[in-house]
Amino acid sequence: MEPSFTAFMAARYGSLMRTAVLLTGGGGARAEDLAQEALLRTYRAWHRIGREEAAV
């Protein structure tokens, strides 16, 4: 895993989980699954994003 993506994930995970909780109507597995899916899709596109600042 690229260090820049790891730093991005560490910095944004809390806000991503808060958004996932709001979108799913509560915490738990559904919110975690949504957050993980968003991170997976972001990781797959990381080479196109190019810079951490572009993903914010």
Side-chain angles (χ1 to χ4, degrees):
M1 192 173 301
E2 294 185 38
S4 61
F5 180 77
T6 302
F8 169 79
M9 184 176 66
R12 300 290 176 206
Y13 189 74
S15 60
L16 181 60
M17 275 303 296
R18 285 190 295 277
T19 301
V21 167
L22 291 172
L23 290 172
T24 60
R30 288 180 60 193
E32 185 70 30
D33 288 346
L34 182 59
Q36 288 179 7
E37 181 67 24
L39 287 171
L40 176 62
R41 289 176 183 226
T42 303
Y43 182 71
R44 287 180 180 159
W46 197 249
H47 68 281
R48 289 188 314 233
I49 294 170
R51 299 180 330 215
E52 181 179 340
E53 296 83 23
V56 191

